[in-house]
């Protein structure tokens, strides 16, 4: 899962394999990867036309926003097993080339040393934003991306512009903020998805597939659903820290988390507007309610830390001690106080699985 | 440039961009990269058949043993400019996909963040030993490798076997050692080059090119020529440190540097034995004598440190302080004492540029 920041370009998940690393704090994403397996099997069984890659050629798969594993390895394994099954009926399989993509600042060193030793593919890492071109024309057969597209390429400019009606003082997200803030986020999302689809349309072969899981909220749901409250509470903690003199208040005002949850209807509209892909299926994997009951406030805090630590450190220039204080005391405590409501909101969020086919 | 160790697989050059990094201590390799430019131009002008890649397809180039730059970026730029020139006569150029390869433990993070922003190619990193398969079959059009093939995949087993006639007590290389030690190194080199050529023969398209610069010594030259004395003197320093109680003597006995300098005749024989490549040309780029006159003992020490620090730390489990003592005091001092002889020996070493074409 990739992340971004308006000021510096891209900030990766926490690297390495330590206690606070993304590798050890991505169990929530893992739920989605596991649930996706049966959908991947079905997508490939029903929609992959193996004529797009004769078995004497190379079958190319890209995982966009892969972070450092292990989820990306599990997803690639699932995809290749499903493809192999399909080719097995024709007698021989192609060789696989798998491209792991994330921002250049992602911890590729950790990714590379943890590649499964017996992997049935040749592996490559591709640094760069998936909102831009990453691959030569018509070279990819399947593009996969899980849990990454809700990251915006940047914080919408208006929300940090003191003269804009979308200026987002005292908050770090559009959740419970002014409507103009939400609009600015929504416009940025549309722009980013357009750039994403435009780039992929060039790179994917005719009739190639795109398998995307996208974090979302139901149509007509209030915009503050989903992980919004989780971010909103982080914002309150940062304001508390500003009030205690641990952070500058102006820095909190200029800090915004570039995450946006779309709806099925909005996503469908954006894909249709691009005109290069057929929507074969859009599946709601969840409501997640049942999975989340046993998740503790500290787990949520650890999870958020793995994703946000880099961005926060960079924006506030704060010490490890301050970060520890935030994620081991303030934040889990505030999460605990509103855990019931939080779970209710999180439980109403959905994950969309999109099966798109290049026209 | 990659390196290897028998005990752990692969140890990379020192990463990052600090004072002791490979990135800042690879000026000697840079000389070879610069000299190679005109030969690359000539090789591509004379031997690249652009029919192997229609301009609507992707032209794939791999740099094997790339380390962290900047030399690899310069080499890729040179190659692509030469190819573009050739295609320009036909009206349109293909898109380029460049694969940067080195061991998984190479500092790919540094490589990726330092990629030239305006590069005329799509970039990917490929982790793994080039003595094994790294790419799908028949996908590469040009393979390039500079200054890497003298690294063995492992220290020959016999030289650390106390019961073998090739046991190399008190030394860290075959330079000035028993003939059996040289023979063990030479056999390992033959095995490694065979594995290298076998893997590339699968990956390179028919009539694709391989452009290799290989550190070597002249035919009939004594085996201790080239960078051997540089390593030999490092060995004396390690023995001195053992005598001073700073390192274990047994550890010095079991430490050997997996580097071998071939000859033009030996290299030719190994390529012919593989039978998959035509030797279009073998060019002696140097004797290097004139380039080396102004290189100081400390520069040699820094250069060796960038390459060897990781291997030494791992083998001896020694502290940064010990490493500093070795490379800032003992080693440059001993190099200074024999600088004249050293330069003479280094100056007689050669660099071979091989232009091979897949049959």
């Amino acid at each position: 899962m990739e992340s971004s920041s308006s000021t510096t370009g891209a900030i990766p998940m926490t690297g390495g394999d330590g206690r606070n690393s993304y590798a050890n704090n991505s169990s929530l994403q893992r739920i989605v990867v596991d649930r996706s397996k049966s959908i991947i099997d079905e997508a490939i069984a029903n929609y992959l036309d193996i004529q797009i890659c004769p078995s004497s050629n190379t079958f190319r798969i890209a995982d966009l926003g892969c972070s450092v594993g292990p989820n990306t390895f599990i997803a690639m394994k699932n995809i290749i097993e499903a493809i192999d099954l399909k080719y097995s009926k024709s007698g021989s399989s192609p060789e696989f080339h798998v491209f792991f993509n994330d921002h250049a600042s992602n911890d590729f060193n950790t990714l590379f040393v943890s590649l499964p030793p017996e992997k049935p593919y040749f592996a490559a890492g591709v640094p760069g934003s998936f909102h831009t071109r990453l691959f030569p024309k018509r070279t990819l057969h399947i593009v996969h991306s899980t849990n990454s597209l809700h990251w915006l390429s940047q914080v919408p400019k208006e929300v940090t512009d003191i003269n804009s009606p979308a200026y987002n003082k005292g908050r770090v997200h559009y959740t419970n903020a002014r409507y103009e803030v939400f609009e600015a986020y929504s416009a940025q999302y549309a722009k980013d998805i357009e750039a994403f689809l435009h780039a992929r349309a060039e790179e994917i072969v005719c009739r190639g597939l795109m398998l995307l899981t996208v974090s979302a909220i139901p149509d007509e749901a209030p915009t503050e659903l989903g992980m919004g409250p989780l971010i909103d509470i982080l914002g309150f903690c940062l304001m508390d820290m500003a009030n205690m003199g641990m952070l500058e208040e102006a820095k909190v005002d200029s800090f915004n988390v570039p995450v946006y949850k779309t709806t099925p209807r909005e996503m469908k509209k954006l894909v249709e507007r691009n005109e290069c892909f057929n929507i074969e299926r859009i599946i709601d994997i969840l409501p997640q309610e049942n999975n989340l009951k046993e998740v503790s406030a500290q787990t949520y805090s650890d999870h958020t830390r793995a994703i946000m630590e880099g961005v926060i450190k960079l924006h506030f220039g704060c010490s490890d001690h301050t970060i520890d204080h935030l994620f081991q005391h303030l934040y889990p405590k505030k999460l605990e106080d509103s855990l019931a409501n939080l779970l209710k909101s999180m439980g109403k969020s959905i994950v969309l699985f999109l099966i798109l086919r290049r026209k």
Side-chain angles (χ1 to χ4, degrees), chain A:
Chain A
M1 191 205 290
E2 59 162 34
S3 72
S4 300
S5 138
S6 63
T7 40
T8 61
I11 310 295
M13 308 295 98
T14 301
D17 57 4
R19 187 193 168 286
N20 298 321
S21 67
Y22 175 79
N24 285 332
N25 290 285
S26 44
S27 56
L28 298 177
Q29 288 88 341
R30 174 67 185 270
I31 294 170
V32 174
V33 172
D34 287 346
R35 292 226 168 190
S36 301
K37 181 174 173 11
S38 61
I39 307 181
I40 284 174
D41 288 348
E42 188 202 318
I44 289 171
N46 293 344
Y47 301 106
L48 176 67
D49 173 2
I50 61 172
Q51 307 281 334
I52 63 174
C53 180
S55 62
S56 58
N57 288 4
T58 303
F59 197 109
R60 293 190 186 84
I61 306 167
D63 193 31
L64 307 184
C66 65
S67 187
V68 293
N71 292 342
T72 186
F73 304 135
I74 297 165
M76 293 304 101
K77 183 172 175 287
N78 290 344
I79 288 177
I80 288 177
E81 282 174 2
I83 303 173
D84 257 338
L85 189 67
K86 191 130 189 183
Y87 274 95
S88 67
K89 291 165 193 160
S90 74
S92 67
S93 272
E95 289 187 322
F96 294 99
H97 209 176
V98 172
F99 296 88
F100 296 96
N101 156 260
D102 214 313
H103 284 295
S105 52
N106 183 50
D107 188 356
F108 280 96
N109 288 351
T110 295
L111 179 79
F112 284 170
V113 296
S114 52
L115 276 163
E118 299 298 318
K119 61 192 187 320
Y121 52 83
F122 298 102
V126 175
S129 161
F130 58 45
H131 295 110
T132 66
R133 282 284 301 281
L134 297 166
F135 300 93
K137 280 180 191 158
R138 296 175 300 280
T139 51
L140 299 176
H141 299 91
I142 290 186
V143 166
H144 175 266
S145 183
T146 285
N147 245 345
S148 296
L149 281 171
H150 57 290
W151 285 99
L152 301 177
S153 67
Q154 56 176 40
V155 172
K157 287 203 177 61
E158 304 88 315
V159 306
T160 55
D161 174 0
I162 198 162
N163 297 315
S164 165
Y167 181 57
N168 198 22
K169 186 171 170 55
R171 294 197 171 271
V172 300
H173 194 238
Y174 61 80
T175 303
N176 299 318
R178 277 194 271 177
Y179 188 67
E180 287 85 350
V181 178
F182 170 76
E183 279 186 319
Y185 269 80
S186 177
Q188 184 66 49
Y189 188 74
K191 215 163 129 184
D192 285 345
I193 295 295
E194 191 181 323
F196 175 85
L197 293 172
H198 185 74
R200 300 300 84 72
E202 298 257 37
E203 297 162 355
I204 298 177
V205 302
C206 181
R207 289 177 294 149
L209 296 182
M210 187 134 71
L211 309 176
L212 308 174
T213 57
V214 181
S215 210
I217 58 169
D219 289 327
E220 321 296 353
T223 57
E224 65 271 18
L225 267 190
M227 69 185 287
L230 208 61
I231 303 175
D232 212 27
I233 293 171
L234 182 68
F236 297 149
C237 294
L238 293 172
M239 278 306 281
D240 285 352
M241 289 168 90
N243 292 334
M244 289 186 282
M246 297 175 79
L247 301 175
E248 280 178 56
E249 190 177 331
K251 288 244 173 188
V252 181
D253 289 339
S254 66
F255 182 70
N256 286 272
V257 180
V259 157
Y260 177 85
K261 298 288 179 122
T262 187
T263 61
R265 188 182 304 144
E266 182 180 42
M267 198 58 183
K268 195 160 171 275
K269 200 179 74 187
L270 293 170
V271 176
E272 284 168 353
R273 190 192 292 167
N274 166 269
E275 294 187 346
C276 295
F277 294 91
N278 287 319
I279 300 176
E280 299 292 351
R281 283 193 72 187
I282 298 186
I283 304 159
D284 288 8
I285 304 191
L286 309 162
Q288 305 189 51
E289 213 151 1
N290 289 334
N291 293 304
L292 299 172
K293 275 190 186 139
E294 286 160 37
V295 178
S296 70
Q298 187 61 54
T299 300
Y300 273 120
S301 181
D302 291 348
H303 174 74
T304 309
R305 178 180 189 153
I307 299 172
M308 299 295 302
E309 180 170 355
V311 192
I312 292 174
K313 264 189 184 163
L314 192 91
H315 184 86
F316 293 99
C318 58
S319 67
D320 287 346
H321 175 74
T322 306
I323 291 281
D324 282 346
H325 187 65
L326 173 61
F327 286 109
Q328 285 173 22
H329 299 281
L330 291 179
Y331 190 47
K333 192 169 173 319
K334 262 210 193 338
L335 288 176
E336 192 68 57
D337 293 345
S338 44
L339 198 59
N341 278 338
L342 191 68
L343 290 181
K344 208 169 149 194
S345 166
M346 296 281 287
K348 293 223 173 351
S349 71
I350 57 175
V351 175
L352 300 178
F353 194 107
L354 280 83
I355 305 175
L356 308 182
R357 197 206 299 247
R358 182 74 175 92
K359 288 179 185 170

